[in-house]
PDB file of all heavy atoms in Angstrom:
ATOM      1  N   VAL K   1      -7.504  11.834   9.175  1.00  0.00           N
ATOM      2  CA  VAL K   1      -7.268  10.547   8.523  1.00  0.00           C
ATOM      3  C   VAL K   1      -7.002  10.754   7.034  1.00  0.00           C
ATOM      4  O   VAL K   1      -7.754  11.553   6.348  1.00  0.00           O
ATOM      5  CB  VAL K   1      -8.477   9.591   8.704  1.00  0.00           C
ATOM      6  CG1 VAL K   1      -8.297   8.320   7.869  1.00  0.00           C
ATOM      7  CG2 VAL K   1      -8.590   9.231  10.173  1.00  0.00           C
ATOM      8  N   ARG K   2      -5.997  10.178   6.504  1.00  0.00           N
ATOM      9  CA  ARG K   2      -5.610  10.340   5.109  1.00  0.00           C
ATOM     10  C   ARG K   2      -6.355   9.307   4.260  1.00  0.00           C
ATOM     11  O   ARG K   2      -6.330   8.118   4.610  1.00  0.00           O
ATOM     12  CB  ARG K   2      -4.108  10.175   4.912  1.00  0.00           C
ATOM     13  CG  ARG K   2      -3.652  10.276   3.515  1.00  0.00           C
ATOM     14  CD  ARG K   2      -2.168   9.874   3.333  1.00  0.00           C
ATOM     15  NE  ARG K   2      -1.702   9.840   1.973  1.00  0.00           N
ATOM     16  CZ  ARG K   2      -0.744   9.069   1.564  1.00  0.00           C
ATOM     17  NH1 ARG K   2      -0.105   8.234   2.415  1.00  0.00           N
ATOM     18  NH2 ARG K   2      -0.360   9.064   0.274  1.00  0.00           N
ATOM     19  N   PHE K   3      -7.006   9.716   3.202  1.00  0.00           N
ATOM     20  CA  PHE K   3      -7.701   8.783   2.296  1.00  0.00           C
ATOM     21  C   PHE K   3      -6.982   8.791   0.945  1.00  0.00           C
ATOM     22  O   PHE K   3      -6.775   9.807   0.322  1.00  0.00           O
ATOM     23  CB  PHE K   3      -9.188   9.189   2.131  1.00  0.00           C
ATOM     24  CG  PHE K   3     -10.011   8.840   3.296  1.00  0.00           C
ATOM     25  CD1 PHE K   3     -10.130   9.676   4.399  1.00  0.00           C
ATOM     26  CD2 PHE K   3     -10.727   7.593   3.321  1.00  0.00           C
ATOM     27  CE1 PHE K   3     -10.900   9.335   5.488  1.00  0.00           C
ATOM     28  CE2 PHE K   3     -11.477   7.222   4.408  1.00  0.00           C
ATOM     29  CZ  PHE K   3     -11.563   8.100   5.505  1.00  0.00           C
ATOM     30  N   VAL K   4      -6.679   7.595   0.486  1.00  0.00           N
ATOM     31  CA  VAL K   4      -6.042   7.403  -0.870  1.00  0.00           C
ATOM     32  C   VAL K   4      -7.098   6.556  -1.609  1.00  0.00           C
ATOM     33  O   VAL K   4      -7.166   5.361  -1.530  1.00  0.00           O
ATOM     34  CB  VAL K   4      -4.735   6.665  -0.770  1.00  0.00           C
ATOM     35  CG1 VAL K   4      -4.130   6.530  -2.189  1.00  0.00           C
ATOM     36  CG2 VAL K   4      -3.773   7.442   0.170  1.00  0.00           C
ATOM     37  N   LEU K   5      -7.957   7.252  -2.359  1.00  0.00           N
ATOM     38  CA  LEU K   5      -9.095   6.589  -3.021  1.00  0.00           C
ATOM     39  C   LEU K   5      -8.925   6.448  -4.518  1.00  0.00           C
ATOM     40  O   LEU K   5      -8.025   7.081  -5.088  1.00  0.00           O
ATOM     41  CB  LEU K   5     -10.399   7.408  -2.679  1.00  0.00           C
ATOM     42  CG  LEU K   5     -10.720   7.539  -1.222  1.00  0.00           C
ATOM     43  CD1 LEU K   5     -11.881   8.436  -0.956  1.00  0.00           C
ATOM     44  CD2 LEU K   5     -10.945   6.159  -0.545  1.00  0.00           C
ATOM     45  N   ASP K   6      -9.778   5.651  -5.127  1.00  0.00           N
ATOM     46  CA  ASP K   6      -9.699   5.321  -6.569  1.00  0.00           C
ATOM     47  C   ASP K   6      -8.275   4.881  -6.868  1.00  0.00           C
ATOM     48  O   ASP K   6      -7.729   5.212  -7.982  1.00  0.00           O
ATOM     49  CB  ASP K   6     -10.084   6.592  -7.367  1.00  0.00           C
ATOM     50  CG  ASP K   6     -11.515   7.014  -7.111  1.00  0.00           C
ATOM     51  OD1 ASP K   6     -12.374   6.127  -7.093  1.00  0.00           O
ATOM     52  OD2 ASP K   6     -11.743   8.202  -6.883  1.00  0.00           O
ATOM     53  N   THR K   7      -7.708   4.114  -5.977  1.00  0.00           N
ATOM     54  CA  THR K   7      -6.326   3.659  -6.156  1.00  0.00           C
ATOM     55  C   THR K   7      -6.216   2.179  -5.791  1.00  0.00           C
ATOM     56  O   THR K   7      -6.593   1.741  -4.738  1.00  0.00           O
ATOM     57  CB  THR K   7      -5.389   4.498  -5.150  1.00  0.00           C
ATOM     58  OG1 THR K   7      -5.530   5.851  -5.448  1.00  0.00           O
ATOM     59  CG2 THR K   7      -3.957   4.011  -5.257  1.00  0.00           C
ATOM     60  N   ARG K   8      -5.736   1.429  -6.710  1.00  0.00           N
ATOM     61  CA  ARG K   8      -5.665  -0.045  -6.573  1.00  0.00           C
ATOM     62  C   ARG K   8      -4.398  -0.463  -5.814  1.00  0.00           C
ATOM     63  O   ARG K   8      -3.307   0.036  -6.069  1.00  0.00           O
ATOM     64  CB  ARG K   8      -5.710  -0.717  -7.992  1.00  0.00           C
ATOM     65  CG  ARG K   8      -5.920  -2.259  -7.904  1.00  0.00           C
ATOM     66  CD  ARG K   8      -6.139  -2.744  -9.315  1.00  0.00           C
ATOM     67  NE  ARG K   8      -4.994  -2.537 -10.159  1.00  0.00           N
ATOM     68  CZ  ARG K   8      -4.094  -3.456 -10.376  1.00  0.00           C
ATOM     69  NH1 ARG K   8      -4.155  -4.631  -9.792  1.00  0.00           N
ATOM     70  NH2 ARG K   8      -3.034  -3.163 -11.199  1.00  0.00           N
ATOM     71  N   ILE K   9      -4.587  -1.385  -4.860  1.00  0.00           N
ATOM     72  CA  ILE K   9      -3.412  -1.967  -4.159  1.00  0.00           C
ATOM     73  C   ILE K   9      -2.935  -3.151  -4.975  1.00  0.00           C
ATOM     74  O   ILE K   9      -3.703  -4.096  -5.251  1.00  0.00           O
ATOM     75  CB  ILE K   9      -3.817  -2.428  -2.756  1.00  0.00           C
ATOM     76  CG1 ILE K   9      -4.377  -1.224  -1.928  1.00  0.00           C
ATOM     77  CG2 ILE K   9      -2.613  -2.991  -2.033  1.00  0.00           C
ATOM     78  CD1 ILE K   9      -5.048  -1.641  -0.678  1.00  0.00           C
ATOM     79  N   THR K  10      -1.697  -3.199  -5.390  1.00  0.00           N
ATOM     80  CA  THR K  10      -1.213  -4.233  -6.229  1.00  0.00           C
ATOM     81  C   THR K  10      -0.476  -5.327  -5.466  1.00  0.00           C
ATOM     82  O   THR K  10      -0.466  -6.466  -5.987  1.00  0.00           O
ATOM     83  CB  THR K  10      -0.262  -3.673  -7.303  1.00  0.00           C
ATOM     84  OG1 THR K  10       0.765  -2.936  -6.653  1.00  0.00           O
ATOM     85  CG2 THR K  10      -1.016  -2.693  -8.222  1.00  0.00           C
ATOM     86  N   ALA K  11       0.099  -5.039  -4.372  1.00  0.00           N
ATOM     87  CA  ALA K  11       0.891  -6.027  -3.600  1.00  0.00           C
ATOM     88  C   ALA K  11       1.234  -5.441  -2.243  1.00  0.00           C
ATOM     89  O   ALA K  11       1.225  -4.262  -2.011  1.00  0.00           O
ATOM     90  CB  ALA K  11       2.147  -6.393  -4.365  1.00  0.00           C
ATOM     91  N   LEU K  12       1.622  -6.411  -1.361  1.00  0.00           N
ATOM     92  CA  LEU K  12       2.183  -6.005  -0.061  1.00  0.00           C
ATOM     93  C   LEU K  12       3.624  -6.551  -0.054  1.00  0.00           C
ATOM     94  O   LEU K  12       3.895  -7.703  -0.373  1.00  0.00           O
ATOM     95  CB  LEU K  12       1.381  -6.695   1.082  1.00  0.00           C
ATOM     96  CG  LEU K  12      -0.053  -6.300   1.188  1.00  0.00           C
ATOM     97  CD1 LEU K  12      -0.741  -7.090   2.304  1.00  0.00           C
ATOM     98  CD2 LEU K  12      -0.179  -4.793   1.524  1.00  0.00           C
ATOM     99  N   THR K  13       4.557  -5.641   0.259  1.00  0.00           N
ATOM    100  CA  THR K  13       5.956  -6.005   0.306  1.00  0.00           C
ATOM    101  C   THR K  13       6.446  -6.296   1.678  1.00  0.00           C
ATOM    102  O   THR K  13       6.165  -5.514   2.580  1.00  0.00           O
ATOM    103  CB  THR K  13       6.805  -4.924  -0.426  1.00  0.00           C
ATOM    104  OG1 THR K  13       6.577  -3.650   0.241  1.00  0.00           O
ATOM    105  CG2 THR K  13       6.420  -4.785  -1.866  1.00  0.00           C
ATOM    106  N   ARG K  14       7.247  -7.321   1.825  1.00  0.00           N
ATOM    107  CA  ARG K  14       7.789  -7.664   3.139  1.00  0.00           C
ATOM    108  C   ARG K  14       9.166  -7.041   3.351  1.00  0.00           C
ATOM    109  O   ARG K  14       9.912  -6.767   2.426  1.00  0.00           O
ATOM    110  CB  ARG K  14       7.957  -9.169   3.189  1.00  0.00           C
ATOM    111  CG  ARG K  14       6.720 -10.017   3.376  1.00  0.00           C
ATOM    112  CD  ARG K  14       7.110 -11.488   3.431  1.00  0.00           C
ATOM    113  NE  ARG K  14       5.999 -12.404   3.561  1.00  0.00           N
ATOM    114  CZ  ARG K  14       5.607 -12.998   4.672  1.00  0.00           C
ATOM    115  NH1 ARG K  14       6.224 -12.779   5.797  1.00  0.00           N
ATOM    116  NH2 ARG K  14       4.601 -13.869   4.601  1.00  0.00           N
ATOM    117  N   SER K  15       9.491  -6.901   4.636  1.00  0.00           N
ATOM    118  CA  SER K  15      10.818  -6.556   5.023  1.00  0.00           C
ATOM    119  C   SER K  15      11.078  -7.444   6.239  1.00  0.00           C
ATOM    120  O   SER K  15      10.632  -7.185   7.360  1.00  0.00           O
ATOM    121  CB  SER K  15      10.983  -5.126   5.409  1.00  0.00           C
ATOM    122  OG  SER K  15      12.283  -4.863   5.885  1.00  0.00           O
ATOM    123  N   GLY K  16      11.746  -8.593   6.012  1.00  0.00           N
ATOM    124  CA  GLY K  16      11.942  -9.599   7.082  1.00  0.00           C
ATOM    125  C   GLY K  16      10.592 -10.194   7.411  1.00  0.00           C
ATOM    126  O   GLY K  16       9.841 -10.678   6.578  1.00  0.00           O
ATOM    127  N   ALA K  17      10.240 -10.149   8.710  1.00  0.00           N
ATOM    128  CA  ALA K  17       8.986 -10.769   9.168  1.00  0.00           C
ATOM    129  C   ALA K  17       7.832  -9.771   9.211  1.00  0.00           C
ATOM    130  O   ALA K  17       6.804 -10.103   9.803  1.00  0.00           O
ATOM    131  CB  ALA K  17       9.251 -11.370  10.577  1.00  0.00           C
ATOM    132  N   ARG K  18       7.995  -8.639   8.618  1.00  0.00           N
ATOM    133  CA  ARG K  18       6.951  -7.644   8.654  1.00  0.00           C
ATOM    134  C   ARG K  18       6.588  -7.127   7.289  1.00  0.00           C
ATOM    135  O   ARG K  18       7.322  -7.290   6.316  1.00  0.00           O
ATOM    136  CB  ARG K  18       7.441  -6.433   9.544  1.00  0.00           C
ATOM    137  CG  ARG K  18       7.754  -6.793  10.977  1.00  0.00           C
ATOM    138  CD  ARG K  18       8.361  -5.653  11.724  1.00  0.00           C
ATOM    139  NE  ARG K  18       7.420  -4.577  11.898  1.00  0.00           N
ATOM    140  CZ  ARG K  18       6.484  -4.524  12.875  1.00  0.00           C
ATOM    141  NH1 ARG K  18       6.324  -5.562  13.698  1.00  0.00           N
ATOM    142  NH2 ARG K  18       5.665  -3.532  13.012  1.00  0.00           N
ATOM    143  N   ILE K  19       5.411  -6.510   7.183  1.00  0.00           N
ATOM    144  CA  ILE K  19       5.049  -5.781   5.950  1.00  0.00           C
ATOM    145  C   ILE K  19       5.668  -4.397   6.021  1.00  0.00           C
ATOM    146  O   ILE K  19       5.500  -3.655   7.016  1.00  0.00           O
ATOM    147  CB  ILE K  19       3.512  -5.640   5.827  1.00  0.00           C
ATOM    148  CG1 ILE K  19       2.847  -7.023   5.799  1.00  0.00           C
ATOM    149  CG2 ILE K  19       3.119  -4.826   4.619  1.00  0.00           C
ATOM    150  CD1 ILE K  19       3.206  -7.868   4.582  1.00  0.00           C
ATOM    151  N   ALA K  20       6.357  -4.074   4.928  1.00  0.00           N
ATOM    152  CA  ALA K  20       6.997  -2.728   4.842  1.00  0.00           C
ATOM    153  C   ALA K  20       6.102  -1.694   4.225  1.00  0.00           C
ATOM    154  O   ALA K  20       6.104  -0.527   4.604  1.00  0.00           O
ATOM    155  CB  ALA K  20       8.320  -2.847   4.126  1.00  0.00           C
ATOM    156  N   ALA K  21       5.350  -2.147   3.161  1.00  0.00           N
ATOM    157  CA  ALA K  21       4.551  -1.123   2.456  1.00  0.00           C
ATOM    158  C   ALA K  21       3.482  -1.807   1.626  1.00  0.00           C
ATOM    159  O   ALA K  21       3.594  -3.058   1.288  1.00  0.00           O
ATOM    160  CB  ALA K  21       5.422  -0.335   1.525  1.00  0.00           C
ATOM    161  N   ALA K  22       2.442  -1.066   1.386  1.00  0.00           N
ATOM    162  CA  ALA K  22       1.402  -1.499   0.429  1.00  0.00           C
ATOM    163  C   ALA K  22       1.731  -0.803  -0.899  1.00  0.00           C
ATOM    164  O   ALA K  22       1.822   0.414  -0.958  1.00  0.00           O
ATOM    165  CB  ALA K  22       0.027  -1.093   0.952  1.00  0.00           C
ATOM    166  N   GLN K  23       1.902  -1.583  -1.920  1.00  0.00           N
ATOM    167  CA  GLN K  23       2.242  -1.061  -3.240  1.00  0.00           C
ATOM    168  C   GLN K  23       0.913  -0.722  -3.926  1.00  0.00           C
ATOM    169  O   GLN K  23       0.059  -1.542  -4.016  1.00  0.00           O
ATOM    170  CB  GLN K  23       3.018  -2.040  -4.044  1.00  0.00           C
ATOM    171  CG  GLN K  23       4.381  -2.454  -3.424  1.00  0.00           C
ATOM    172  CD  GLN K  23       5.319  -1.272  -3.250  1.00  0.00           C
ATOM    173  OE1 GLN K  23       5.289  -0.281  -4.049  1.00  0.00           O
ATOM    174  NE2 GLN K  23       6.146  -1.366  -2.234  1.00  0.00           N
ATOM    175  N   THR K  24       0.824   0.508  -4.464  1.00  0.00           N
ATOM    176  CA  THR K  24      -0.447   0.937  -5.089  1.00  0.00           C
ATOM    177  C   THR K  24      -0.114   1.617  -6.398  1.00  0.00           C
ATOM    178  O   THR K  24       1.042   1.899  -6.761  1.00  0.00           O
ATOM    179  CB  THR K  24      -1.215   1.930  -4.231  1.00  0.00           C
ATOM    180  OG1 THR K  24      -0.603   3.242  -4.356  1.00  0.00           O
ATOM    181  CG2 THR K  24      -1.244   1.548  -2.765  1.00  0.00           C
ATOM    182  N   ASP K  25      -1.195   1.890  -7.189  1.00  0.00           N
ATOM    183  CA  ASP K  25      -1.059   2.606  -8.490  1.00  0.00           C
ATOM    184  C   ASP K  25      -0.449   4.008  -8.231  1.00  0.00           C
ATOM    185  O   ASP K  25       0.130   4.581  -9.169  1.00  0.00           O
ATOM    186  CB  ASP K  25      -2.421   2.793  -9.158  1.00  0.00           C
ATOM    187  CG  ASP K  25      -2.945   1.448  -9.572  1.00  0.00           C
ATOM    188  OD1 ASP K  25      -2.210   0.477  -9.736  1.00  0.00           O
ATOM    189  OD2 ASP K  25      -4.188   1.356  -9.809  1.00  0.00           O
ATOM    190  N   ALA K  26      -0.579   4.496  -7.019  1.00  0.00           N
ATOM    191  CA  ALA K  26      -0.109   5.826  -6.751  1.00  0.00           C
ATOM    192  C   ALA K  26       1.204   5.825  -5.931  1.00  0.00           C
ATOM    193  O   ALA K  26       1.675   6.846  -5.477  1.00  0.00           O
ATOM    194  CB  ALA K  26      -1.153   6.637  -5.946  1.00  0.00           C
ATOM    195  N   GLY K  27       1.846   4.666  -5.911  1.00  0.00           N
ATOM    196  CA  GLY K  27       3.139   4.512  -5.183  1.00  0.00           C
ATOM    197  C   GLY K  27       2.980   3.710  -3.901  1.00  0.00           C
ATOM    198  O   GLY K  27       1.907   3.199  -3.544  1.00  0.00           O
ATOM    199  N   ALA K  28       4.065   3.643  -3.139  1.00  0.00           N
ATOM    200  CA  ALA K  28       4.083   2.812  -1.938  1.00  0.00           C
ATOM    201  C   ALA K  28       3.518   3.593  -0.716  1.00  0.00           C
ATOM    202  O   ALA K  28       3.748   4.787  -0.606  1.00  0.00           O
ATOM    203  CB  ALA K  28       5.503   2.363  -1.655  1.00  0.00           C
ATOM    204  N   ILE K  29       2.777   2.896   0.099  1.00  0.00           N
ATOM    205  CA  ILE K  29       2.301   3.450   1.349  1.00  0.00           C
ATOM    206  C   ILE K  29       2.927   2.683   2.496  1.00  0.00           C
ATOM    207  O   ILE K  29       2.687   1.528   2.653  1.00  0.00           O
ATOM    208  CB  ILE K  29       0.748   3.366   1.438  1.00  0.00           C
ATOM    209  CG1 ILE K  29       0.132   4.184   0.315  1.00  0.00           C
ATOM    210  CG2 ILE K  29       0.260   3.871   2.831  1.00  0.00           C
ATOM    211  CD1 ILE K  29      -1.387   4.052   0.235  1.00  0.00           C
TER     212      ILE K  29
END
């Protein structure tokens, strides 16, 4: 399991009717 810690999630970006990525201080997931 990959852990991205001490990293703030700033937004969730949509692509149509779905979430495409979680935007974080360390980039998009």
Side-chain angles (χ1 to χ4, degrees):
V1 172
R2 177 190 175 207
F3 282 86
V4 183
L5 302 173
D6 299 314
T7 301
R8 191 170 64 94
I9 303 168
T10 57
L12 298 174
T13 55
R14 286 180 183 258
S15 176
R18 300 174 66 82
I19 299 296
Q23 302 298 329
T24 78
D25 293 339
I29 297 175

